[in-house]
Amino acid sequence: MPASNKNQSNVDYDVIIVGGGMVGLSLAGLLLEQNNKVAVIDPKAVESDWPEDSIGQRVSAITRASERLFKQIRAWEFIGEHEKAPYQRMFVWDGESSRGKIEFDASLVAEKNIGHIVENRVLRRALFQSIERDRQLDWLCPERCLSVDYQQDYAKLELESGRQITARLLVAADGAFSWLRKTSGVGQEQKPYGHKAIVCAVKTQNSHQHTAWQRFDHHGPLAFLPLADEHYCSIVWSVDEAYADQLLALGHEAFAERLSQTFESTLGVVSLASKPVAFPLIERTAENMVAHRLALIGDAAHTIHPLAGQGVNLGFSDAIELSKVIDQSLQKGADIGLKHRLRPFERARKSEARAMQLAMQGFKRLFEQEVPLIQMARSHGLALSDKHPLLKQKLIRKAMGL
């Protein structure tokens, strides 16, 4: 495919991506396939080496749709088999009642697995390795932005190094506290969930059985996500802020004991493999995902509760949709940075992100209820859903992004 039409303005790049995390790098891979000249700016170098026995603090549940993206841009091949943990089953139960449970199995949709659990540092390294040698890419790192200036035909960034660079389109992929979003004057709505997510790695007495486990009670959801070693899991424990502070104040042994009790010793005795850390959970929604010569993707555009593990996958879907809209403009010889050219991306992605946010709000409210009648209805609902294969097939495919 020919490169974009440079006659419209004398710019350094077609697209500058501010933020070289997983979502920003995935977009860079897609844009480079279209023969765009791309710059990626990030203050933090890509981690490429770590102790063999260490476990990353943060992991992501990679859907089949995201896996296809990584394969398309040749990043999947840079993730070793020992670095990705496929899971065949999901088991979800209501901790307030023994009858409320639902189980999902990949065999229901004739698939080998539902998805993979991969450490975020592994994903970022693989995405970077897949594009680092591309001649159309400039990796500006470590680097920070100082100012942005939007003109009719281009956008200009002034960098901390003193360099000034221009592009027809800027993309904010710099996270929930996006500098580019704020500096560009795009507002953001915030709704605190009142929860903190505690994350750490644990060792379990029994095998995780290649299953993603999730238990709900009135404090919030507790997920055990399987890692490559069958006796290790990454946990995400989302609880109200006061209870989170109490848990973090416990010693490691006491924390592990409370964790095992809450998990009903489903995988036997649990011990910590890394130090628990917590971060507040806030639903964030940018007022707009596009403006003149600007598009927002990933956490810069929206954040959701992690109970369904879909946050980063929403970001990957943003990257896919934005690259499609850019390609459509290129095919027509049109200016990729004009707001009306970017609007199809915003329409497609804003509605899906909002639907996911509403679903997460609903789940949170439903499971934090302590009213016995509501708990009973919730429990029966899970049990009835577990008996309907067609419904479960639909839910599995949705979770896989198919």
Side-chain angles (χ1 to χ4, degrees), residues 31-61:
L31 296 179
L32 291 168
E33 282 197 332
Q34 299 168 2
N35 199 31
N36 288 289
K37 186 166 177 55
V38 178
V40 181
I41 302 170
D42 199 274
K44 186 178 180 181
V46 176
E47 196 176 358
S48 60
D49 191 30
W50 44 80
E52 188 175 343
D53 59 350
S54 72
I55 301 175
Q57 196 72 265
R58 302 291 299 275
V59 303
S60 293

Side-chain angles (χ1 to χ4, degrees), residues 22 62 70 79 118-127:
M22 297 180 292
I62 301 303
F70 296 149
I79 304 175
V118 187
E119 294 177 21
N120 288 5
R121 63 184 183 180
V122 171
L123 288 169
R124 188 176 186 230
R125 183 200 64 197
L127 286 161

Side-chain angles (χ1 to χ4, degrees), residues 1 25-35 62-79 126-127 130-131 134 316-317 319-324 327:
M1 181 185 299
L25 290 175
S26 67
L27 176 63
L30 290 165
L31 296 179
L32 291 168
E33 282 197 332
Q34 299 168 2
N35 199 31
I62 301 303
T63 65
R64 183 71 80 252
S66 296
E67 178 186 339
R68 288 174 178 173
L69 163 63
F70 296 149
K71 288 180 176 178
Q72 177 186 340
I73 61 178
R74 297 173 298 281
W76 197 248
E77 62 195 62
F78 289 100
I79 304 175
L127 286 161
S130 70
I131 64 174
D134 196 300
F316 293 139
S317 294
I320 293 169
E321 186 65 30
L322 181 57
S323 71
K324 288 179 181 177
D327 190 42

Side-chain angles (χ1 to χ4, degrees), residues 289 297-298 301-302 314-323 345 349:
M289 290 184 70
I297 62 174
H302 42 67
L314 277 177
F316 293 139
S317 294
D318 290 344
I320 293 169
E321 186 65 30
L322 181 57
S323 71
F345 156 73
R349 297 307 305 150

Side-chain angles (χ1 to χ4, degrees), residues 20-316:
M22 297 180 292
V23 173
L25 290 175
S26 67
L27 176 63
L30 290 165
L31 296 179
L32 291 168
E33 282 197 332
Q34 299 168 2
N35 199 31
N36 288 289
K37 186 166 177 55
V38 178
V40 181
I41 302 170
D42 199 274
K44 186 178 180 181
V46 176
E47 196 176 358
S48 60
D49 191 30
W50 44 80
E52 188 175 343
D53 59 350
S54 72
I55 301 175
Q57 196 72 265
R58 302 291 299 275
V59 303
S60 293
I62 301 303
T63 65
R64 183 71 80 252
S66 296
E67 178 186 339
R68 288 174 178 173
L69 163 63
F70 296 149
K71 288 180 176 178
Q72 177 186 340
I73 61 178
R74 297 173 298 281
W76 197 248
E77 62 195 62
F78 289 100
I79 304 175
E81 290 302 316
H82 66 288
E83 294 178 317
K84 50 194 174 192
Y87 57 100
Q88 288 83 40
R89 297 169 60 235
M90 294 174 62
F91 191 88
V92 181
W93 77 100
D94 186 346
E96 311 286 358
S97 170
S98 60
R99 289 177 294 181
K101 66 179 182 62
I102 187 168
E103 182 178 354
F104 302 100
D105 196 300
S107 62
L108 275 175
V109 289
E111 293 280 348
K112 292 182 179 180
N113 58 68
I114 296 174
H116 293 79
I117 305 299
V118 187
E119 294 177 21
N120 288 5
R121 63 184 183 180
V122 171
L123 288 169
R124 188 176 186 230
R125 183 200 64 197
L127 286 161
F128 179 68
Q129 289 175 325
S130 70
I131 64 174
E132 63 177 324
R133 292 184 175 84
D134 196 300
R135 294 181 179 179
Q136 291 284 82
L137 171 73
D138 278 352
W139 171 246
L140 306 180
C141 176
E143 184 64 278
R144 295 180 184 273
C145 302
L146 289 183
S147 66
V148 61
D149 179 29
Y150 293 98
Q151 297 294 325
Q152 181 62 35
D153 296 325
Y154 64 89
K156 179 172 67 176
L157 284 170
E158 182 182 0
L159 306 182
E160 200 171 55
S161 62
R163 184 178 175 184
Q164 294 186 348
I165 54 177
T166 58
R168 290 198 296 149
L169 177 65
L170 303 182
V171 177
D174 48 343
F177 305 101
S178 171
W179 172 90
L180 184 55
R181 178 191 57 75
K182 289 186 289 186
T183 308
S184 300
V186 178
Q188 182 189 66
E189 182 182 3
Q190 297 191 36
K191 295 180 181 178
Y193 286 107
H195 272 191
K196 285 184 179 179
I198 301 173
V199 298
C200 68
V202 299
K203 184 177 182 180
T204 59
Q205 180 182 9
N206 302 325
S207 168
H208 55 52
Q209 303 167 47
H210 305 288
T211 299
W213 308 84
Q214 191 164 39
R215 179 188 185 272
F216 286 87
D217 65 22
H218 65 278
H219 286 299
L222 168 60
F224 271 57
L225 305 175
L227 298 176
D229 186 312
E230 65 178 344
H231 288 282
Y232 283 85
C233 292
S234 178
I235 70 141
V236 184
W237 196 357
S238 303
V239 296
D240 60 82
E241 294 178 347
Y243 188 48
D245 292 340
Q246 291 177 27
L247 291 171
L248 291 174
L250 298 173
H252 283 196
E253 289 188 10
F255 179 89
E257 184 177 351
R258 183 77 60 86
L259 177 63
S260 184
Q261 290 172 351
T262 303
F263 199 55
E264 300 178 23
S265 299
T266 302
L267 299 180
V269 177
V270 173
S271 58
L272 299 189
S274 70
K275 180 183 178 181
V277 297
F279 52 92
L281 298 178
I282 302 172
E283 178 188 285
R284 300 179 178 89
T285 308
E287 291 179 358
N288 302 292
M289 290 184 70
V290 300
H292 179 64
R293 307 216 171 271
L294 174 68
L296 280 65
I297 62 174
D299 285 356
H302 42 67
T303 62
I304 64 172
H305 199 288
L307 68 88
Q310 290 297 315
V312 73
N313 292 293
L314 277 177
F316 293 139

